[in-house]
C-alpha cells in the first residue's frame, strides 16, 4: 500500500514538474503571441498594414503612425440582433470617418443573418468611409427603412441592429473624442 | 515481424480507432472542416498517443490494477497539457482555431483504451508502434474527412496551410471552383460524411472477407490473436 502511494506521488510530481517547466519556458513567448495576434486583428479592422496601438481604458486602442495618433478602435455591442448580443470593433479616424467595422462575436442564423461576418460576406465593408457628416442621419438605416444600407433577404433584423449600433458608436465617438484621445497612457 | 504487421494493419484498417472503434468522435467531427485543422489536431493526437503508450508501457512493471488507471490518465493529461502549451507558443493562430479540442484530447477514449488494453500489457517497442499506428489511423481518417468537407463546403483544398507550415504554404491552396455547400461545413455535414466513410470502409472490408485469398489471411490472423 505504502509503495503504491509513493509511486503515484512520484509520478504526479514528475508530471507536475514537466508541465511547469514547459509552461515556464513558454510563458513569455505565449504572451508575445497573444499581443501580436490581437494587434494583427485590430489593425485588420482599421485596414492598416502596420501601426502602433496603445491600449487605454475600457479596451479602447489609439492607433498611431510615426508617433502621430490617426484614429481609435473601440468595442461596441448591440442586443437588438436576432439571437443574443452582437459584438463589434469600430475603427474611426480623427475626422470621424469609419476606417472599418468587424463583427467578432455573434449568434445570428447561419446562412441568413451571419452575412454581417466578413468571413461570410462583404456587407460590413459598406461602412468604410462613412461618417456622421457625409451620411445624413436618415440614411443610417437599412434600405427597407429608407436608409442607405442593404438588408439581407430573409433577415432584416440583424443588419438593422448592426447599422444602429455603428451609428450609436459614431455618436459616442463624437461626444468623447477629446477625452478618449487624451487618456492614452 | 508478424506482430508488427498485425499492429500496423490493426491501427490503419482492421481496428481503426475512428472508423471501427468509433472513439474520439467529438474532436474528429468538430475539427474536420478543413484539411489544415484536421492535420493540426491529428498530429497532436498522434504525438500524444505515441508518447503516452511509450511511457505507460515502460512503467507497466511498477503499476498494479489499482494504480494503473490514475497513472495512465495522469500521463495522458501531462502530455496533452504540454502539447497545448507548445502549440500556443509556436502555432498560436492554429491554436486559436482548434485549441478547445486539443485540451479535449485528454478525454479521447482512444488514448486511454490503447494505454489500458495494449500498452500496459506489451513491451515498449510494440506499445510505441501501436500508439503510432493508432494515431496514424486516426490522423488519416481526420484528413480524409477534412478534405471531403473542405472540398464540398468551401470549394477549396489545403486552404490555410500557413497556420502549420508558415507563409510559404499560402500558395498550396487549390481552388476547385465549385460552389460551397453550407451543409458540409455545419455539424450535420460532419455526421453525414463520417457515416458515408464508415459505410465505404465496411463495404471494402466485406468484399475483402468474401474473396478466397483474404479468407486464408483472416484465418492466420485469428490464429495469431489466439496465440497472444
Amino acid at each position: 500500500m505504502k509503495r503504491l502511494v509513493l509511486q503515484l506521488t512520484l509520478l504526479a510530481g514528475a508530471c507536475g514538474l514537466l508541465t511547469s517547466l514547459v509552461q515556464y519556458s513558454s510563458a513569455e513567448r505565449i504572451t508575445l503571441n497573444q499581443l501580436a495576434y490581437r494587434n494583427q486583428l485590430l489593425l485588420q479592422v482599421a485596414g492598416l498594414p502596420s501601426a502602433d496601438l496603445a491600449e487605454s481604458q475600457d479596451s479602447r486602442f489609439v492607433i498611431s503612425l510615426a508617433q502621430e495618433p490617426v484614429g481609435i478602435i473601440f468595442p461596441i455591442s448591440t442586443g437588438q440582433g436576432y439571437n443574443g448580443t452582437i459584438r463589434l470593433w469600430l475603427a474611426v479616424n480623427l475626422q470621424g470617418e469609419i476606417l472599418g467595422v468587424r463583427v467578432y462575436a455573434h449568434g445570428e442564423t447561419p446562412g441568413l443573418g451571419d452575412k454581417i461576418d466578413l468571413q461570410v460576406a462583404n456587407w460590413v465593408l459598406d461602412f468604410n468611409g462613412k461618417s456622421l457628416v457625409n451620411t445624413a442621419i436618415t440614411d443610417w438605416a437599412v434600405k427597407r427603412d429608407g436608409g442607405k444600407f442593404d438588408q439581407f433577404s430573409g433577415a432584416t433584423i440583424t443588419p438593422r441592429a448592426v447599422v444602429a449600433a455603428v451609428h450609436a458608436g459614431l455618436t459616442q465617438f463624437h461626444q468623447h473624442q477629446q477625452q478618449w484621445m487624451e487618456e492614452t497612457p | 515481424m508478424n506482430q508488427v504487421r498485425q499492429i500496423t494493419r490493426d491501427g490503419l484498417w482492421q481496428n481503426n480507432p475512428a472508423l471501427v472503434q468509433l472513439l474520439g468522435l467529438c474532436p474528429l467531427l468538430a475539427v474536420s472542416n478543413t484539411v489544415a485543422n484536421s492535420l493540426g489536431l491529428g498530429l497532436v493526437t498522434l504525438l500524444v498517443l505515441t508518447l503516452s503508450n511509450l511511457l505507460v508501457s515502460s512503467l507497466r512493471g511498477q503499476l498494479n490494477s489499482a494504480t494503473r488507471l490514475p497513472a495512465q490518465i495522469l500521463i495522458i493529461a501531462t502530455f496533452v497539457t504540454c502539447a497545448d502549451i507548445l502549440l500556443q507558443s509556436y502555432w498560436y493562430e492554429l491554436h486559436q482555431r482548434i485549441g478547445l479540442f486539443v485540451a479535449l484530447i485528454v478525454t479521447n477514449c482512444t488514448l486511454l483504451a490503447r494505454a489500458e488494453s495494449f500498452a500496459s500489457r506489451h513491451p515498449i517497442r510494440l506499445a510505441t508502434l501501436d500508439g503510432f499506428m493508432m494515431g496514424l489511423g486516426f490522423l488519416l481518417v481526420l484528413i480524409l474527412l477534412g478534405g471531403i468537407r473542405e472540398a464540398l463546403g468551401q470549394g477549396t483544398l489545403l486552404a490555410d496551410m500557413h497556420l502549420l507550415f508558415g507563409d510559404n504554404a499560402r500558395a498550396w491552396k487549390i481552388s476547385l471552383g465549385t460552389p460551397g455547400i453550407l451543409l458540409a461545413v455545419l455539424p450535420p455535414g460532419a455526421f453525414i460524411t463520417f457515416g458515408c466513410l464508415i459505410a465505404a470502409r465496411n463495404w471494402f472490408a466485406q468484399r475483402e472477407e468474401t474473396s478466397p485469398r483474404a479468407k486464408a489471411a483472416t484465418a492466420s490472423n485469428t490464429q495469431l490473436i489466439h496465440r497472444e
Side-chain angles (χ1 to χ4, degrees):
Chain A
M1 182 63 198
K2 238 179 180 172
R3 209 181 64 113
L4 295 183
V5 172
L6 190 70
Q7 274 175 357
L8 274 188
T9 315
L10 276 179
L11 184 65
C15 288
L17 191 69
L18 179 67
T19 317
S20 330
L21 277 179
V22 175
Q23 161 77 39
Y24 181 74
S25 58
S26 316
E28 204 186 319
R29 221 190 143 96
I30 294 176
T31 319
L32 286 178
N33 282 348
Q34 281 168 342
L35 271 177
Y37 185 69
R38 192 200 65 191
N39 286 355
Q40 187 195 331
L41 290 187
L42 288 175
L43 288 178
Q44 274 173 16
V45 175
L48 297 166
S50 69
D52 293 320
L53 287 173
E55 185 170 6
S56 58
Q57 286 154 28
D58 302 326
S59 11
R60 283 190 289 270
F61 296 85
V62 174
I63 319 165
S64 305
L65 279 172
Q67 313 291 328
E68 275 300 304
V70 293
I72 197 161
I73 303 180
F74 56 102
I76 54 176
S77 65
T78 171
Q80 302 298 309
Y82 193 69
N83 176 28
T85 309
I86 304 172
R87 297 178 194 283
L88 315 96
W89 285 112
L90 178 57
V92 184
N93 70 12
L94 297 183
Q95 288 74 49
E97 289 164 355
I98 292 178
L99 292 170
V101 177
R102 284 295 180 286
V103 174
Y104 67 89
H106 74 89
E108 301 305 298
T109 321
L112 291 174
D114 69 344
K115 294 192 183 75
I116 53 170
D117 192 335
L118 187 61
Q119 286 182 350
V120 180
N122 286 334
W123 178 79
V124 85
L125 299 180
D126 286 352
F127 286 111
N128 292 1
K130 299 269 197 305
S131 74
L132 294 183
V133 178
N134 67 21
T135 308
I137 189 158
T138 47
D139 288 337
W140 283 96
V142 292
K143 283 180 179 159
R144 176 176 297 175
D145 301 340
K148 267 198 167 171
F149 296 92
D150 286 332
Q151 61 261 2
F152 314 139
S153 48
T156 316
I157 294 173
T158 309
R160 187 183 281 152
V162 172
V163 171
V166 171
H167 183 249
L170 272 186
T171 314
Q172 219 185 349
F173 172 76
H174 270 275
Q175 283 163 0
H176 301 287
Q177 180 169 4
Q178 205 95 59
Q179 178 200 341
W180 283 1
M181 299 308 291
E182 277 164 12
E183 72 192 4
T184 320
Chain B
M1 193 56 219
N2 242 337
Q3 250 177 329
V4 170
R5 255 182 53 196
Q6 179 67 27
I7 289 171
T8 310
R9 199 177 144 73
D10 257 353
L12 298 186
W13 180 255
Q14 201 77 38
N15 203 13
N16 185 293
L19 288 181
V20 181
Q21 301 179 57
L22 303 182
L23 293 177
L25 295 192
C26 163
L28 181 91
L29 294 170
V31 164
S32 63
N33 44 13
T34 64
V35 175
N37 290 357
S38 301
L39 190 60
L41 189 86
L43 285 177
V44 178
T45 311
L46 170 74
L47 190 74
V48 173
L49 188 49
T50 311
L51 288 176
S52 71
N53 261 16
L54 176 96
L55 197 59
V56 167
S57 171
S58 52
L59 291 177
R60 73 188 187 285
Q62 313 293 320
L63 300 166
N64 73 1
S65 57
T67 51
R68 215 162 55 209
L69 274 178
Q72 286 163 3
I73 277 294
L74 194 59
I75 290 169
I76 293 170
T78 304
F79 283 131
V80 171
T81 311
C82 290
D84 190 54
I85 296 172
L86 291 176
L87 207 58
Q88 282 185 56
S89 40
Y90 295 99
W91 291 276
Y92 190 78
E93 232 184 306
L94 181 71
H95 185 271
Q96 287 299 106
R97 294 205 190 180
I98 65 168
L100 180 63
F101 299 97
V102 170
L104 276 178
I105 293 176
V106 180
T107 62
N108 184 335
C109 303
T110 315
L111 284 94
L112 192 60
R114 294 330 288 174
E116 171 62 18
S117 69
F118 197 95
S120 64
R121 295 147 213 270
H122 287 85
I124 296 176
R125 199 174 52 89
L126 291 180
T128 313
L129 181 74
D130 178 77
F132 182 78
M133 285 306 166
M134 283 291 164
L136 193 63
F138 189 74
L139 172 73
L140 291 177
V141 173
L142 245 176
I143 292 181
L144 191 60
L145 200 56
I148 295 172
R149 289 181 66 198
E150 189 183 336
L152 290 178
Q154 304 180 13
T156 62
L157 267 179
L158 304 180
D160 296 331
M161 288 301 260
H162 67 278
L163 296 180
L164 280 140
F165 300 103
D167 276 334
N168 287 336
R170 278 180 202 272
W172 298 1
K173 178 174 163 177
I174 305 165
S175 287
L176 304 174
T178 48
I181 305 164
L182 184 66
L183 178 70
V185 184
L186 295 178
F191 279 99
I192 295 168
T193 318
F194 188 57
C196 293
L197 278 186
I198 297 176
R201 190 227 161 257
N202 287 349
W203 184 74
F204 274 116
Q206 219 163 35
R207 238 175 51 145
E208 218 178 42
E209 267 170 35
T210 45
S211 78
R213 193 173 55 87
K215 259 184 192 157
T218 322
S220 70
N221 278 345
T222 327
Q223 273 175 1
L224 186 77
I225 292 164
H226 283 299
R227 246 186 283 133
E228 276 175 23

